[in-house]
Amino acid sequence: MKKKIILAFGFCLLAIGAHAQRVLSLDSCRALAMRNNKQLNVSKLKQDVAMNIRKAARTKYLPKVDAMGGYEFFSKEISLLNKNQKSALNGLGTNTLSGLSTSMNSEITNILTGLVQQGVISQQMAQQIGSQLSGIGSQIGTPLAQAGDQMGHDIASAFRTDTRNIWAGSVMLRQPIFMGGAITAANKMADISELMAANDVDLKMQSTIYNIDQTYWTVVSLRQKEKLAHSYHDLVEKLDNDVRKMIKQGVATRAEGLKVDVKVNEADMQITQVEDGLVLAKMLLCQLCGLPVDEKITLEDEFKDQVTPISTAETYQPDTTFSRRPEVRMLQNTVDMTKQNTRLVRAAYLPHVALTGGYMISNPNVFNGFQRKFAGVWNIGVLVQIPIWNWFEGAYNVRASKATTNIAIMELNDVQEKINLQVTQSQFKVKEAQKRLAMAQKDMNSAEENLRCANVGFKEGVMEITDVMAAQTAWQQAQSQKIDAEVELRLAQVGLRKALGILE
């Protein structure tokens, strides 16, 4: 009786210490895992990536504007005139008037000679007239030659390009009009990628919840088995004390006492094993929750007498496609993705039409001769690309893409069939766990009655020590089976909900 009081007092102290620690319920463990699970956070980041890719795909419908500018230096400039032409233009007046002066002097000499021969004028007068005309031509020809040279020099300078330093810039606009359906297909593929990322998040969430539930109830089970191990240790220790008294009185043999000592040692080892297992299970639960593995935690259901089962989902009738399962939705996304990929492949071999426009500026420019200043021009046009012959390359690629779609459909059907078997198997596991729990409850009642009878018979001297030890062992096994059955039922129900895709 004193030992029971001490044991109860110890459990009270343990409960008080547990309240001083961090107490976690199943929901709080799930919430911590959702917030701290690295793989789940990676999936959420992938979802953000898919969302931004989808937004980027929407911009394919809109016009694109690009600006470009540059400067180039060349060691030589482009020359439209050769050296002889430049030299001729620079001496245009001198060369022209020199020829004209020679011709005019010869013509005047001939005229004056004719007049002298005809006796109109004398030889002396002809010489005077020729001298005067030569002086007048010299006075007039020099300014004309200079003006002609200047004119030729201006013409040569006008033909100079001076293209050693070139500045250029442009602003271009491109607006797709018809791309064969490629832009629409790319946008749908981006939408599907975003859905696939969301389904991947759901898959990781369900897997995380399933792992948390398994670890949580494993900790609860080990805590129950720890209490059971202590209770069993108290039973065999009490029996050991009784046998020692009987040995002193000569009622029992030393061999029987050694048998009981072995049972006490076994009970001590069981306590050590279950305590070590409990510590490791809590460390695993902390790791799944994103907490330090050495943090002291206490679970809300640790000190409850039994594990409360959840509402069963065995009557839930899912649709034949199992669309609530994230895996199925992801495979359906893959099928849709391959269909859009076929459209994208086909679009590459259809006509493409795009509208272009822009403004170009350069220095020097040739819009008004060669000018050393910035000037620009607007432009607008339509680009059309029409594939004519590609040796059936497009047809082959489309067939290959369609075959990929058929493969994805077959994989989806195969997974749906396997999920159907998994759901049926999970339903059977729940029924078996319910039956096992009911049988464990009956076995535990029988084991308690058997232990009571064995203790009474041992006190009355009609039953031996081995019978009591056997009854104690049977009681411990019945209690352990009951704990296992309760946890197994809870985990089987969680597994069924996961198989149905309704684990939340």
Side-chain angles (χ1 to χ4, degrees):
M1 184 66 180
K2 292 182 179 180
K3 289 184 178 180
K4 290 183 179 180
I5 295 175
I6 293 173
L7 182 61
F9 182 71
F11 278 118
C12 290
L13 292 177
L14 182 61
I16 294 173
H19 284 295
Q21 298 176 359
R22 184 170 187 174
V23 180
L24 298 176
S25 64
L26 180 60
D27 292 336
S28 60
C29 288
R30 288 180 175 184
L32 287 171
M34 292 298 176
R35 186 168 61 249
N36 300 320
N37 185 272
K38 294 181 176 59
Q39 292 299 322
L40 182 59
N41 291 332
V42 168
S43 296
K44 291 180 179 178
L45 290 176
K46 289 181 179 179
Q47 189 176 10
D48 292 338
V49 171
M51 179 185 65
N52 288 300
I53 292 176
R54 189 257 304 165
K55 292 181 179 179
R58 292 292 189 271
T59 63
K60 299 295 183 182
Y61 291 109
L62 304 176
K64 301 294 188 299
V65 180
D66 300 323
M68 181 179 64
Y71 165 79
E72 289 290 339
F73 173 79
F74 297 91
S75 60
K76 294 181 180 181
E77 66 180 39
I78 298 173
S79 179
L80 300 178
L81 302 175
N82 56 36
K83 293 181 179 180
N84 294 332
Q85 291 172 336
K86 290 180 181 179
S87 177
L89 286 173
N90 287 328
L92 177 63
T94 301
N95 295 333
T96 302
L97 289 178
S98 176
L100 289 175
S101 178
T102 302
S103 176
M104 288 177 63
N105 288 335
S106 176
E107 187 65 28
I108 292 172
T109 300
N110 291 334
I111 294 173
L112 291 176
T113 302
L115 292 175
V116 171
Q117 290 177 356
Q118 292 175 7
V120 176
I121 61 174
S122 64
Q123 182 67 32
Q124 183 178 2
M125 186 177 291
Q127 291 178 354
Q128 292 177 354
I129 294 172
S131 177
Q132 292 177 356
L133 290 175
S134 176
I136 294 171
S138 177
Q139 294 176 359
I140 298 174
T142 299
L144 290 177
Q146 292 176 353
D149 290 345
Q150 184 63 39
M151 185 181 298
H153 179 74
D154 293 341
I155 294 173
S157 297
F159 275 98
R160 183 183 177 185
T161 60
D162 192 13
T163 53
R164 289 175 299 174
N165 299 285
I166 297 179
W167 288 266
S170 66
V171 177
M172 299 296 297
L173 180 143
R174 304 185 311 276
Q175 172 62 57
I177 298 176
F178 177 73
M179 294 287 114
I183 297 179
T184 302
N187 275 272
K188 290 183 179 179
M189 291 176 71
D191 294 338
I192 296 171
S193 296
E194 188 174 9
L195 291 175
M196 189 177 293
N199 292 329
D200 183 59
V201 171
D202 291 342
L203 177 62
K204 294 294 177 57
M205 288 177 62
Q206 290 195 8
S207 298
T208 302
I209 292 174
Y210 184 71
N211 293 332
I212 285 292
D213 282 22
Q214 281 194 319
T215 309
Y216 182 91
W217 293 114
T218 298
V219 172
V220 173
S221 172
L222 290 173
R223 175 64 74 183
Q224 298 292 335
K225 288 187 176 182
E226 183 188 27
K227 292 192 294 184
L228 175 62
H230 283 287
S231 299
Y232 178 70
H233 181 271
D234 292 341
L235 287 176
V236 294
E237 191 175 25
K238 180 178 182 304
L239 179 63
D240 183 59
N241 293 332
D242 293 340
V243 171
R244 289 180 186 275
K245 294 177 182 179
M246 294 174 65
I247 292 175
K248 290 180 180 181
Q249 296 175 0
V251 179
T253 63
R254 185 169 179 79
E256 293 175 332
L258 292 175
K259 291 180 181 180
V260 177
D261 289 339
V262 171
K263 288 294 182 179
V264 173
N265 294 333
E266 290 179 354
D268 290 333
M269 181 57 65
Q270 288 178 2
I271 292 175
T272 301
Q273 290 176 344
V274 74
E275 287 178 348
D276 293 342
L278 181 61
V279 172
L280 291 175
K282 284 192 174 184
M283 291 176 67
L284 177 59
L285 183 61
C286 289
Q287 191 271 332
L288 292 175
C289 294
L291 301 174
V293 293
D294 57 348
E295 182 168 345
K296 302 300 181 180
I297 62 172
T298 301
L299 303 186
E300 191 178 61
D301 296 302
E302 274 191 57
F303 301 100
K304 292 183 178 180
D305 294 334
Q306 62 180 5
V307 177
T308 304
I310 60 178
S311 57
T312 62
E314 54 188 339
T315 58
Y316 177 81
Q317 296 297 330
D319 59 327
T320 56
T321 60
F322 297 97
S323 58
R324 295 181 66 92
R325 287 286 294 263
E327 302 94 323
V328 174
R329 296 201 300 270
M330 291 178 68
L331 287 173
Q332 184 61 53
N333 294 149
T334 303
V335 173
D336 298 336
M337 184 74 76
T338 57
K339 291 180 179 179
Q340 296 301 324
N341 184 66
T342 301
R343 296 179 181 177
L344 190 63
V345 171
R346 185 184 292 111
Y349 302 95
L350 294 177
H352 294 173
V353 182
L355 176 67
T356 63
Y359 181 77
M360 294 184 294
I361 189 173
S362 65
N363 183 1
N365 67 87
V366 292
F367 302 116
N368 189 21
F370 282 96
Q371 293 179 321
R372 294 297 304 174
K373 64 179 182 180
F374 285 98
V377 61
W378 293 94
N379 66 85
I380 187 170
V382 177
L383 295 178
V384 180
Q385 178 189 4
I386 302 177
I388 297 176
W389 183 253
N390 52 33
W391 300 100
F392 302 106
E393 177 186 2
Y396 298 145
N397 288 333
V398 169
R399 291 176 187 174
S401 183
K402 288 183 177 180
T404 304
T405 301
N406 293 331
I407 293 173
I409 292 175
M410 291 180 183
E411 290 178 350
L412 173 61
N413 294 334
D414 182 60
V415 169
Q416 287 174 338
E417 293 175 357
K418 291 180 179 179
I419 289 177
N420 188 21
L421 294 175
Q422 184 183 19
V423 170
T424 304
Q425 183 182 19
S426 299
Q427 290 174 339
F428 288 159
K429 285 184 177 180
V430 171
K431 294 179 180 179
E432 291 173 1
Q434 290 173 341
K435 291 182 180 179
R436 188 175 291 109
L437 178 60
M439 293 174 61
Q441 187 68 41
K442 293 180 180 179
D443 292 342
M444 186 189 68
N445 295 332
S446 300
E448 288 179 348
E449 180 63 22
N450 184 33
L451 179 61
R452 187 188 67 81
C453 294
N455 289 329
V456 172
F458 179 70
K459 289 180 181 180
E460 298 294 334
V462 295
M463 297 190 72
E464 298 182 357
I465 296 175
T466 55
D467 296 330
V468 177
M469 290 190 297
Q472 290 175 345
T473 302
W475 174 83
Q476 183 196 24
Q477 291 177 350
Q479 290 281 359
S480 178
Q481 289 175 358
K482 175 180 175 292
I483 295 172
D484 291 338
E486 290 176 343
V487 174
E488 184 181 353
L489 175 59
R490 183 67 184 243
L491 293 180
Q493 291 172 335
V494 172
L496 177 58
R497 297 175 71 86
K498 183 176 184 295
L500 294 171
I502 58 175
L503 182 61
E504 296 176 355

